[in-house]
Amino acid sequence: MRRRLSSVLAAALLLAGCGAADPARPAPTPSPSAAPEPVPTEEPAPTAAPGALTLDYDEIRPVAYLGSLPASQLSGYFTVSRDGRWGLMRADGTELLACASPVPISCCGVGQHWIYWPQPALGWDAFDALSAELEAAGDGSLCPGHGMTADSFLYDLDAGQIVYYRYTAPSDIYPMEENAWQKYGGLLPVCPVHLTRESEEDPWSVGERQGSWFYIGQDGEAVRPNRDGEAVEAVAAGWFYREALAPVKVDGRWAYLDRSGRLATEAVYDPVYRGNYSASETETAPTQAACLQNGYAAVSRDGRWGLLAADGAEVIPCEQPGVAWEGTTLWVKSEDGWRKQELPRSS
């Protein structure tokens, strides 16, 4: 049977997104370059036509991709729940992992590895067999537990510049790379902090956030969240990638801002997915708003769901029991279950 994670390692997982390797098994070599590219495509993909397929899941949420902090969503898959347990399905409705996990399924940053520890626990033989079945179908594999990296970008208040911070073992600062700007869309969310270390041989450590999150472009210019020119404090922020809007948390709720920093929506939205790995068997509540994928994002307001377009309009008003979108396929919940729907177009 699998070994349970220690409390010390569980804290590290909140940063890295993967479990500790079982000492009896060799740990894979981390390979960030093999991670699935979370950047949306340039143009919206055609949507699936409505069909007779109805899904009886309680919830359908985005899969958190943990190769970056904050997390992003993976395209092509959803994590799904039934009776308080979580599984995985392809965007087309094909169930890949049974609803047996106490927490939503997430994807670690080393290849397409699903973090899935069902209850009752699988023995290693069953775990390996299930992982091999996924791999043979082209649907990734199960994460056995290993070290990894997660990209984050900070604003060093003492040096007055953006820094590329990788959560590793140990975490440290790396030179800004051209492909980082390309991968994350040329406008990066940064958290203002003071960086400290004991000596030049020691890695840098990150202090508490000092002020509002904001964005920095590759030209070094700051883009600060504002409401019609008046500054607002963002306590959390998400990625633009190549999209027109990004989510920011303001006044306790989520809004979407454009590339000039102007809030394109009011701060009225609730988080829609859990944006970090949780070793706890009770931490399932959403923590993060969705980034746009191919021009749209599922949004939730006061317990009802809708679909937001790149102009900030709700093309599906927040009146539905559930809406799920991961960049290719739209699922909408009604009284009799989840069904695919055509993607609405903003006017």
Side-chain angles (χ1 to χ4, degrees), residues 12 19-20 65 76 83 88 93 113 116 123 136 155 172 179 186 221 224 243 264 277 298 328 336 339 345:
Y65 170 72
D83 299 327
L88 180 74
H113 288 179
Y116 179 65
Y155 187 78
D172 208 350
N179 64 359
E221 293 297 318
R224 299 185 181 277
E243 304 288 351
Y277 172 79
T328 69
D336 63 346
R339 289 180 181 270
R345 300 290 174 176

Side-chain angles (χ1 to χ4, degrees), residues 56-215:
D56 65 349
Y57 297 115
D58 298 325
E59 292 187 68
I60 300 180
R61 292 188 196 171
V63 174
Y65 170 72
L66 301 176
S68 64
L69 291 174
S72 60
Q73 309 99 237
L74 197 68
S75 181
Y77 300 89
F78 293 103
T79 184
V80 294
S81 73
R82 188 185 289 116
D83 299 327
R85 288 291 185 261
W86 293 86
L88 180 74
M89 80 172 192
R90 288 196 202 110
D92 65 6
T94 303
E95 184 170 290
L96 299 174
L97 296 173
C99 292
S101 170
V103 293
I105 308 307
S106 52
C107 181
C108 84
V110 180
Q112 193 171 318
H113 288 179
W114 309 114
I115 300 175
Y116 179 65
W117 298 107
Q119 292 183 346
L122 295 175
W124 278 119
D125 288 345
F127 183 95
D128 290 341
L130 180 55
S131 185
E133 182 180 329
L134 289 168
E135 191 168 6
D139 290 304
S141 59
L142 298 183
C143 179
H146 49 73
M148 60 168 287
T149 64
D151 295 340
S152 181
F153 300 93
L154 307 170
Y155 187 78
D156 182 357
L157 290 167
D158 300 304
Q161 64 183 18
I162 187 174
V163 295
Y164 179 12
Y165 192 79
R166 284 182 184 164
Y167 290 92
T168 58
S171 302
D172 208 350
I173 293 172
Y174 291 79
M176 284 298 298
E177 301 171 355
E178 178 69 23
N179 64 359
W181 292 104
Q182 295 173 354
K183 179 177 180 179
Y184 293 105
L187 197 58
L188 305 178
V190 293
C191 179
V193 296
H194 291 291
L195 297 169
T196 59
R197 62 178 176 176
E198 295 298 323
S199 70
E200 291 187 1
E201 290 74 31
D202 293 325
W204 290 91
S205 61
V206 179
E208 295 294 322
R209 176 176 62 88
Q210 303 289 321
S212 176
W213 280 73
F214 61 101
Y215 291 80

Side-chain angles (χ1 to χ4, degrees), residues 242-317:
R242 299 189 181 106
E243 304 288 351
L245 304 178
V248 291
K249 191 174 184 180
V250 177
D251 299 328
R253 303 191 82 178
W254 290 85
Y256 286 81
L257 53 73
D258 64 23
R259 286 180 170 268
S260 73
R262 181 186 67 86
L263 294 188
T265 75
E266 290 299 318
V268 295
Y269 296 113
D270 300 317
V272 300
Y273 77 107
R274 187 159 191 84
N276 60 283
Y277 172 79
S278 172
S280 167
E281 297 178 1
T282 60
E283 294 179 10
T284 64
T287 59
Q288 198 162 316
C291 301
L292 269 67
Q293 292 174 280
N294 288 328
Y296 299 88
V299 289
S300 176
R301 177 159 40 92
D302 300 324
R304 307 297 284 182
W305 291 74
L307 188 72
L308 190 77
D311 60 1
E314 291 180 9
V315 291
I316 296 180

Side-chain angles (χ1 to χ4, degrees), residues 269 296-301 304-309 311-325 329-333 339-347:
Y269 296 113
Y296 299 88
V299 289
S300 176
R301 177 159 40 92
R304 307 297 284 182
W305 291 74
L307 188 72
L308 190 77
D311 60 1
E314 291 180 9
V315 291
I316 296 180
C318 285
E319 300 171 354
Q320 309 302 317
V323 171
W325 168 255
T329 308
L330 176 66
W331 291 89
V332 178
K333 189 178 185 181
R339 289 180 181 270
K340 289 181 186 177
Q341 285 196 11
E342 293 283 0
L343 184 68
R345 300 290 174 176
S346 56
S347 57

